[in-house]
Amino acid sequence: MIRRLAPAFAALAVTAASLSAAAPATAELLWSQSFDSRALAGPMRFSIYLPPGYHAPDQAERRYPVVYLLHGVGDDERAWPQFGRVEQTLDGLIAARELPSFIVVMPNGLKSWWVDSADIGGPGNYATAVRDDLPAHVEATWRAMTVRDGRFVAGLSMGGFGALRLGFENPERYRAIGALSAALWNRVQAGWKPADPARMTRIFTGAFGEPFDPQRFLANHPRRYLPRVQDPAEPIGIYLQAGDDDGFGTQFSTLELFEELRDRSIPAELRIDDGGHDWKVWRSALGPMLQWFAAQIRPD
């Protein structure tokens, strides 16, 4: 009896092994990881997407380009995976061979506006944390590329502001920048006084002082750093997108920035899509932005 069953079990084992070998490698989404950030003097949370095949034995030496994807006001490290459908978007494009494999890192920036504010009692030094601490942790823990040509920063709304500021201030660190519906607040000028100070507190939570200090805001605005990308040592890609029905007017401020870049002879890509200031627009914009990023990577 045992002898008769043994070949059947052997055949079943071979079949299972064959199915396992033929099964496509799946992506991995790690929610709400954390590490100790020196800039924040405490933990920083983030979610991370690892592409299909990352854990395959034959890919053990491969390093992947990485996108640091920043959220907007009121969201956290779970927003892009949950509402932006990062995993589904990348899985689909990678499977269709329409996008190379990327790692995507989605940090929690509170309502920091992705600037440093510890010196004024704000949310904390999030610009330094995203620029220095987070990449150092990611590159030491996962096989993310450690060179500029494989590092990108992007975000939506507040995250678009943060991505532009980080990229414009530090063009030596990023190959390209993506800003979706960037909240640029072009109405703020020196001496500007908000009609509703309580609303500014809700939106900015002390990132630019409390009460809101327009001088501090302008000193941290992406436009301040435009001279750094006017003639960079290495080319930097700039991708701007907004919805044409955005109730906050980011389509107009995005167009203003695009025109200023063009006046300065700084190349940029502009996309105005149908829609408002919402996840439907940002979900649709994610794939094309990543494909544009991929085209910026220079072949070895």
Side-chain angles (χ1 to χ4, degrees):
M1 184 70 174
I2 294 175
R3 290 178 181 174
R4 285 197 297 270
L5 287 174
F9 280 120
L12 185 62
V14 170
T15 301
S18 300
L19 288 172
S20 176
T26 57
E28 185 175 15
L29 179 60
L30 304 176
W31 296 78
S32 298
Q33 308 295 294
S34 69
F35 75 102
D36 287 330
S37 164
R38 183 175 182 177
L40 299 178
M44 182 178 205
R45 297 200 313 274
F46 64 97
S47 297
I48 183 168
Y49 167 89
L50 303 175
Y54 178 88
H55 295 293
D58 62 349
Q59 300 295 309
E61 300 300 319
R62 179 179 178 183
R63 284 194 170 267
Y64 296 83
V66 58
V67 178
Y68 293 91
L69 194 56
L70 312 181
H71 65 73
V73 168
D75 286 328
D76 58 23
E77 79 281 0
R78 302 175 67 87
W80 268 111
Q82 182 176 357
F83 305 117
R85 299 177 186 168
V86 166
E87 185 175 19
Q88 297 91 325
T89 299
L90 273 86
D91 283 359
L93 291 172
I94 293 170
R97 299 182 182 276
E98 296 176 0
L99 183 73
S101 296
F102 276 87
I103 291 173
V104 182
V105 181
M106 298 153 279
N108 181 5
L110 307 179
K111 292 182 182 178
S112 68
W113 285 79
W114 307 101
V115 300
D116 287 350
S117 60
D119 62 317
I120 55 171
N125 290 341
Y126 277 87
T128 301
V130 172
R131 184 193 66 204
D132 297 337
D133 300 349
L134 183 59
H137 175 73
V138 168
E139 292 165 11
T141 308
W142 293 279
R143 297 194 312 279
M145 292 174 66
T146 59
V147 296
R148 174 187 185 269
D149 209 45
R151 193 182 297 121
F152 302 81
V153 63
L156 67 87
S157 194
M158 176 186 81
F161 177 101
L164 289 168
R165 185 193 179 281
L166 282 162
F168 288 175
E169 184 186 14
N170 308 283
E172 76 285 353
R173 292 191 62 82
Y174 304 103
R175 180 61 188 86
I177 309 160
L180 310 180
S181 309
L184 296 174
W185 284 78
N186 287 351
R187 76 194 78 167
V188 177
Q189 303 294 328
W192 180 79
K193 295 186 183 300
D196 186 352
R199 179 170 178 260
M200 303 301 284
T201 296
R202 292 194 300 271
I203 293 172
F204 293 105
T205 61
F208 303 104
E210 183 55 47
F212 177 81
D213 180 357
Q215 289 298 120
R216 178 90 180 196
F217 179 81
L218 294 171
N220 281 277
H221 199 279
R223 275 198 174 87
R224 179 191 170 195
Y225 301 99
L226 280 177
R228 299 193 183 188
V229 293
Q230 193 151 4
D231 188 23
E234 295 286 341
I236 184 166
I238 303 170
Y239 186 97
L240 306 174
Q241 183 276 347
D244 62 351
D245 295 318
D246 191 311
F248 295 99
T250 70
Q251 68 273 48
F252 304 115
S253 56
T254 295
L255 182 57
E256 287 178 25
L257 177 59
F258 176 75
E259 290 174 340
E260 185 168 355
L261 291 169
R262 186 173 58 184
D263 290 344
R264 291 172 176 260
S265 300
I266 301 171
E269 183 79 2
L270 174 66
R271 306 283 178 90
I272 302 295
D273 299 321
D274 183 44
H277 197 85
D278 53 50
W279 281 106
K280 182 179 179 181
V281 167
W282 303 322
R283 281 194 297 268
S284 297
L286 178 61
M289 180 183 70
L290 292 175
Q291 290 173 314
W292 191 84
F293 280 176
Q296 309 308 304
I297 301 175
R298 292 173 292 190
D300 294 332

